[in-house]
Amino acid sequence: MKITRSKMYIPVILASILFKCFTLLIAVESPVPPKMENLEKIPFKGKPVPPCRACRNLVDSFLKAVDETMRKSFEGGDADWEKQKLGSYDNSELRFIEIQEQVCSDVGLGKDQCYNLAELHESELENWFYEERHKNMDLFEFLCISHLKICCPNNTYGSDCVPCPGGIESPCGGHGKCLKGGTREEPASCFCDAGYTGELCDVCAKGYYQEAGEVFSCKICDKACKGHCRGPGPKNCEVCSFGYHFIPDEGCVEHFNDYKNPIKITDDASNETEDP
């Protein structure tokens, strides 16, 4: 049977048509990527923040909305109408609704948690707005610490809000940060500032020395020192850094010819090469 050239191209043409139809079908069903200007409107979906941080986000956002609506009351419009009809925009239902519409919209990380908290605890927020606010009650203390019990006062932690290591007045000796402080999480520990170490940040770290005086303070050793030093300057180095050599009455001084081995200073001020 003889096959003409035109019949030979029929399968190729059919395959091309099917491919175009399949491509068109995918294009129709595929979601259109959002435009750049609409990206900010997409709700944040990410790793949740700790409970206390989520409550802090809600409080900060709510107070921001309170401040913005207060400024609005001096700009006319609906606020003036509210004052005439309801007596006071400051404590009106209209203002509370406007605050609810704004709250959490400015939150980045933890936005969904903020919305959930605002919805679940609307009655507490309403109570603070209409009552406790006028008693100068702090919203964070009222909501996050007293009612929800998911945060603690500053420099306390745990289920019973016990003091951080070092005490409430000076946690971590004043030379570090109390990790998990202000939360109901535990255990708490100190994250020491540069130059300090120890459970209470009460020890000078390697490369630092304790400065003389009534107040505990650690200062960085001279650059001529390798590791620990006994005080300021090159004379107080326990070991000379590479490129430095010990000279009596001068300490570790820069030495350009022989810097392969650091020098360990002994009590009798004699030179002794540190073991490699």
Side-chain angles (χ1 to χ4, degrees), residues 11 16 33 39 43 60 64 68 87 97 103 112 117 130 137 164 169 172 176 186-187 199 221 243:
S16 177
L39 287 178
D60 291 345
K64 180 180 178 181
E68 290 180 351
I97 293 174
V103 74
D112 292 339
L117 280 175
Y130 289 114
M137 169 60 73
C164 283
E169 297 298 326
C172 304
E186 51 185 84
E199 292 185 2
C221 294

Side-chain angles (χ1 to χ4, degrees), residues 122-148:
E122 180 181 347
S123 60
E124 285 89 348
L125 292 171
E126 192 172 5
N127 182 19
W128 179 86
F129 178 77
Y130 289 114
E131 302 293 338
E132 302 301 327
R133 176 170 63 101
H134 302 290
K135 301 176 185 178
N136 295 321
M137 169 60 73
D138 180 77
L139 178 56
F140 180 77
E141 180 181 350
F142 173 79
L143 181 66
C144 305
I145 297 177
S146 299
H147 281 266
L148 303 187

Side-chain angles (χ1 to χ4, degrees), residues 3-267:
I3 301 176
T4 62
R5 183 179 296 273
S6 59
K7 290 182 178 180
M8 293 177 60
Y9 285 105
I10 291 177
V12 177
I13 295 173
L14 290 175
S16 177
I17 294 173
L18 289 173
F19 177 79
K20 290 181 179 179
C21 292
F22 180 74
T23 304
L24 181 61
L25 181 62
I26 292 177
V28 171
E29 293 184 351
S30 299
V32 179
K35 296 181 180 180
M36 290 300 295
E37 58 267 24
N38 294 330
L39 287 178
E40 295 182 354
K41 300 178 182 179
I42 300 176
F44 180 86
K45 300 290 185 181
K47 185 177 180 180
V49 298
C52 185
R53 178 69 259 179
C55 194
R56 170 62 76 180
N57 286 343
L58 172 58
V59 167
D60 291 345
S61 183
F62 192 91
L63 292 177
K64 180 180 178 181
V66 169
D67 181 64
E68 290 180 351
T69 53
M70 175 56 71
R71 285 189 280 108
K72 175 186 174 182
S73 67
F74 297 102
E75 298 175 359
D78 292 339
D80 285 343
W81 176 87
E82 183 71 16
K83 285 182 179 180
Q84 296 175 7
K85 299 296 182 181
L86 301 180
S88 174
Y89 173 76
D90 176 67
N91 214 45
S92 67
E93 183 178 359
L94 172 63
R95 186 183 180 195
F96 184 73
I97 293 174
E98 290 176 345
I99 292 171
Q100 286 181 303
E101 292 175 347
Q102 296 182 39
V103 74
C104 298
S105 61
D106 58 329
V107 176
L109 190 63
K111 182 187 289 286
D112 292 339
Q113 290 170 275
C114 183
Y115 280 124
N116 290 337
L117 280 175
E119 182 178 356
L120 289 173
H121 303 288
E122 180 181 347
S123 60
E124 285 89 348
L125 292 171
E126 192 172 5
N127 182 19
W128 179 86
F129 178 77
Y130 289 114
E131 302 293 338
E132 302 301 327
R133 176 170 63 101
H134 302 290
K135 301 176 185 178
N136 295 321
M137 169 60 73
D138 180 77
L139 178 56
F140 180 77
E141 180 181 350
F142 173 79
L143 181 66
C144 305
I145 297 177
S146 299
H147 281 266
L148 303 187
K149 299 186 184 301
I150 54 178
C151 297
C152 285
N154 289 336
N155 300 331
T156 63
Y157 74 97
S159 57
D160 297 324
C161 295
V162 297
C164 283
I168 296 177
E169 297 298 326
S170 184
C172 304
H175 300 294
K177 180 180 179 181
C178 177
L179 297 180
K180 298 185 179 178
T183 75
R184 298 278 173 161
E185 302 175 39
E186 51 185 84
S189 59
C190 290
F191 182 78
C192 300
D193 298 335
Y196 299 85
T197 186
E199 292 185 2
L200 298 177
C201 304
D202 55 355
V203 178
C204 290
K206 184 177 181 179
Y208 291 78
Y209 66 92
Q210 182 175 343
E211 188 178 35
E214 296 181 359
V215 180
F216 176 72
S217 177
C218 298
K219 299 295 181 181
I220 192 168
C221 294
D222 192 271
K223 65 178 182 178
C225 305
K226 178 183 179 182
H228 288 297
C229 61
R230 295 183 292 270
K235 291 184 179 181
N236 287 299
C237 298
E238 292 189 0
V239 177
C240 292
S241 294
F242 288 102
Y244 290 82
H245 191 80
F246 179 77
I247 298 178
D249 299 327
E250 293 187 35
C252 295
V253 296
E254 200 164 7
H255 189 72
F256 296 99
N257 296 326
D258 183 13
Y259 54 86
K260 293 182 179 180
N261 295 311
I263 303 301
K264 182 177 180 181
I265 293 83
T266 58
D267 293 336

